[in-house]
């Protein structure tokens, strides 16, 4: 009877470990970013980020739920870059949650349509994540579009 209990105990100990490993592999390193918990996203343009300061903006805060959802979806769909990163910073991005907690990132979108974006946690700039070209294209239009254009922001509700 002891022979039967040993394999069962090992199986009962192994299953939770395997389940934890499998579930952790299904998330990006951010965990899940819930758009409903974010109250605003601030982008601070970095002068060396590609566009001349006069062509862009110094700082812009987005509170529109459509933009926040798009950014959260882009972050949740991002994929880890396996190579070492050497990058500049186009935008410093700050997520502000409803309880006042903030998280800082570097966001690089570039100007070229059809190209992936890059998202890097500020506390670990050697670890980066690609933003899909589809999400990066949508973000480019909103970020580089006319400041404060509610029509442009709300059109993403239908996508």
């Amino acid at each position: 009877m002891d022979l039967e209990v040993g394999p069962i105990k090992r199986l009962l100990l192994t299953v939770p470990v395997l389940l934890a490993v499998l579930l952790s592999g299904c998330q990006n390193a951010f965990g899940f970013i819930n758009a409903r918990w974010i109250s605003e996203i601030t982008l601070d343009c970095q002068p060396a980020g590609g566009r001349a300061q006069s062509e862009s903006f110094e700082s812009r805060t987005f509170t529109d739920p459509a933009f926040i959802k798009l950014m959260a979806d882009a972050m949740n769909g991002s994929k880890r870059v396996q190579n070492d990163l050497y990058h500049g910073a186009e935008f410093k991005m700050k997520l502000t949650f409803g309880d006042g907690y903030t998280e800082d990132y570097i966001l690089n979108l570039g100007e070229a349509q059809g190209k992936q974006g890059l998202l890097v946690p500020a506390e670990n700039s050697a670890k980066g994540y690609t933003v899909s070209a589809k999400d990066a294209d949508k973000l480019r239009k909103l970020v580089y579009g006319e400041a404060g254009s509610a029509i442009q922001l709300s059109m993403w509700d239908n996508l």
Side-chain angles (χ1 to χ4, degrees):
M1 196 174 262
D2 286 330
L3 294 175
E4 293 179 22
V5 174
I8 292 173
K9 279 185 176 179
R10 278 184 280 192
L11 180 62
L12 289 174
L13 291 173
T14 305
V15 168
V17 171
L18 288 174
L19 187 59
V21 169
L22 288 173
L23 290 176
S24 68
C26 293
Q27 294 182 356
N28 62 33
F30 304 118
F32 176 75
I33 303 293
N34 189 334
R36 286 181 262 156
W37 295 346
I38 299 171
S39 60
E40 66 183 34
I41 298 174
T42 302
L43 295 179
D44 293 323
C45 187
Q46 302 302 296
R51 285 183 180 239
Q53 193 76 18
S54 61
E55 294 177 33
S56 190
F57 54 87
E58 286 185 37
S59 181
R60 188 179 295 168
T61 299
F62 297 88
T63 58
D64 182 75
F67 180 85
I68 291 172
K69 181 174 179 351
L70 176 61
M71 182 61 74
D73 289 348
M75 292 176 77
N76 289 331
S78 66
K79 304 291 182 214
R80 175 88 154 79
V81 175
Q82 298 301 321
N83 301 331
D84 290 337
L85 291 178
Y86 302 99
H87 58 86
E90 188 175 359
F91 297 102
K92 287 186 179 178
M93 179 174 76
K94 179 179 293 224
L95 301 182
T96 303
F97 294 85
D99 63 358
Y101 176 76
T102 62
E103 291 181 358
D104 295 320
Y105 298 90
I106 294 168
L107 175 66
N108 291 339
L109 294 173
E111 295 183 49
Q113 293 293 313
K115 298 289 184 182
Q116 294 178 330
L118 178 68
L119 187 63
V120 180
E123 76 268 356
N124 187 352
S125 62
K127 200 191 276 190
Y129 302 85
T130 58
V131 174
S132 74
K134 179 181 174 184
D135 287 339
D137 285 345
K138 291 177 186 177
L139 287 168
R140 277 183 205 98
K141 287 179 182 178
L142 293 174
V143 169
Y144 290 124
E146 292 297 316
S149 173
I151 295 169
Q152 189 175 21
L153 287 174
S154 64
M155 76 180 197
W156 294 111
D157 288 329
N158 299 324
L159 296 178

